Amino acid sequence: MRLLITGATGKVGQAFLPAFLSDPRFAVWEVVALCNNRSLAPQPRVSVVKGSVADPEVVVRALDGVTHVLHLAAVKETPDQAIDVALKGLYLLLDRFCRAASRRQFLLLSGDCVVGHIFHGYREPITEQAPRHAYRGVYALTKVLEETMLEQFGIQEGLDWTTLRAPWIMEKDDFRYALALGEDQFGGPSWESLLEEDELTKIKQEHAVPALRDGTGAYLKRNFIHVDDLVAAVLAALDNPAAFKQLFNVAMDRPVDYGDVASFLEATGEHIRHDIPTPFHSNWLDNSKARMVLGWQPEIDLGGLVERAWKYARAPDDPRVIWYPG
């Protein structure tokens, strides 16, 4: 077997590759990493193809002898790259892969932006049957089109595909910086868009925990997943016939409640909460299908997410990298 990985040097790719190479299920598999801006250090069973996924000649070389594709490469709010990477690149991969006699499975990593996460309200858990309902922006639009394109190749070409739809992916100290009040904040919403300057200055001085409230006044509930749990889901779906032609939500068993986060951190005696009203919606991404069909179970709950983020200590050779704006 031969696995092509796009985005192997990104957040998920860097966590996935060592887990894959150490998994006995895949002990005899070879890996091809399609890399553009960054590259990988030499290692056994891994070869690298350099170039853009939007280059037809590069795609042909990368897919030589490939049986499985794991498509992790993505762009965020960068319109000048969206068509080339997200749409043209995916089309080239699918078109060429579907003409390969060796093809077995194409696995796509998607996101809950497809269903609008905190920007759209739902009266019940969000399952895989929920209609695609993206919020405004290039990234959400491209993910809707990626999911649709992949499904259509399944219909038109008989391709065995799998889509894993993940919420906000956390690693290392990401969650801590998602709550940071300064320029080092990771992701959104930006506090400047929710608070007046004097109020933001005050809560910075108090080292407060921003406890977001949704449009109803309750504490906001937003879906997250730790990268280790996401990697486990990918491994569970890879080369698994039960996953063929299937879409799975992969998220923590319960969404993160910002009120609970504030309580966790207040209990340390080092923080106080500061409630922030927002127009956002609380939602619950239902992972029941992945748990039942794949036998997958996320291990990191809210307590684990907080503990890992606050206890993580960076070594000098481990600079903080923002893979995308969030």
Side-chain angles (χ1 to χ4, degrees):
M1 299 294 181
R2 189 172 176 87
L3 172 67
L4 170 65
I5 307 175
T6 69
T9 59
K11 175 189 287 189
V12 180
Q14 287 199 3
F16 171 80
L17 190 54
F20 174 83
L21 293 172
S22 64
D23 191 320
R25 279 183 58 211
F26 309 107
V28 298
W29 287 42
E30 296 179 346
V31 174
V32 181
L34 177 53
C35 300
N36 191 13
N37 296 322
R38 298 183 295 266
S39 192
L40 293 170
Q43 52 191 307
R45 294 198 285 142
V46 179
S47 59
V48 174
V49 172
K50 290 286 291 182
S52 170
V53 71
D55 184 330
E57 294 183 1
V58 170
V59 169
V60 169
R61 285 192 287 117
L63 283 171
D64 184 29
V66 163
T67 56
H68 298 72
V69 176
L70 174 58
H71 189 41
L72 303 175
V75 294
K76 294 293 281 187
E77 299 303 330
T78 47
D80 57 324
Q81 299 179 30
I83 300 299
D84 276 353
V85 175
L87 302 182
K88 181 182 177 182
L90 178 58
Y91 175 80
L92 290 174
L93 284 170
L94 288 169
D95 182 59
R96 183 70 187 184
F97 189 54
C98 282
R99 288 186 276 142
S102 59
R103 79 177 200 198
R104 287 179 63 104
Q105 181 190 24
F106 194 107
L107 199 157
L108 170 71
L109 177 61
S110 187
D112 69 343
C113 58
V114 170
V115 290
H117 65 78
I118 61 174
F119 293 97
H120 297 308
Y122 292 81
R123 296 183 177 180
E124 56 192 21
I126 304 172
T127 69
E128 292 80 1
Q129 283 70 48
R132 296 181 177 93
H133 193 56
Y135 57 85
R136 186 180 184 187
V138 171
Y139 179 63
L141 174 62
T142 58
K143 284 302 178 185
V144 168
L145 297 175
E146 283 181 0
E147 286 192 10
T148 305
M149 190 189 306
L150 182 58
E151 290 174 9
Q152 288 301 309
F153 268 87
I155 293 168
Q156 296 178 19
E157 303 293 340
L159 175 66
D160 284 327
W161 56 270
T162 303
T163 296
L164 300 183
R165 187 183 282 169
W168 200 358
I169 304 165
M170 297 285 109
E171 69 160 358
K172 299 178 179 177
D173 51 9
D174 279 349
F175 191 61
R176 177 179 178 182
Y177 283 90
L179 300 172
L181 296 165
E183 294 181 356
D184 53 356
Q185 181 188 357
F186 169 54
S190 64
W191 310 125
E192 290 85 355
S193 68
L194 298 173
L195 298 167
E196 297 294 336
E197 184 177 351
D198 57 345
E199 185 179 7
L200 180 56
T201 299
K202 181 176 182 293
I203 66 173
K204 285 180 180 179
Q205 293 171 345
E206 295 173 343
H207 303 289
V209 181
L212 303 185
R213 290 188 178 270
D214 64 22
T216 72
Y219 282 113
L220 182 70
K221 296 175 178 62
R222 181 174 180 176
N223 299 282
F224 290 79
I225 189 170
H226 192 277
V227 69
D228 291 348
D229 283 331
L230 176 55
V231 166
V234 175
L235 293 173
L238 190 58
D239 202 40
N240 182 350
F244 292 174
K245 294 185 173 68
Q246 296 293 322
L247 163 66
F248 298 95
N249 292 335
V250 286
M252 292 167 60
D253 284 337
R254 299 176 63 87
V256 165
D257 183 309
Y258 278 80
D260 291 341
V261 175
S263 295
F264 265 107
L265 296 175
E266 280 185 318
T268 67
E270 298 177 4
H271 302 275
I272 61 171
R273 80 177 63 205
H274 187 94
D275 288 357
I276 300 176
T278 78
F280 303 128
H281 300 272
S282 291
N283 286 316
W284 191 313
L285 196 65
D286 188 339
N287 68 7
S288 299
K289 180 179 176 181
R291 288 190 286 117
M292 185 185 82
V293 176
L294 301 179
W296 167 81
Q297 177 68 49
E299 296 183 356
I300 301 169
D301 59 9
L302 175 57
L305 198 63
V306 172
E307 182 178 14
R308 286 180 178 224
W310 261 260
K311 286 188 175 180
Y312 187 80
R314 289 190 173 270
D317 60 349
D318 182 25
R320 178 159 177 75
V321 177
I322 303 299
W323 300 105
Y324 48 83

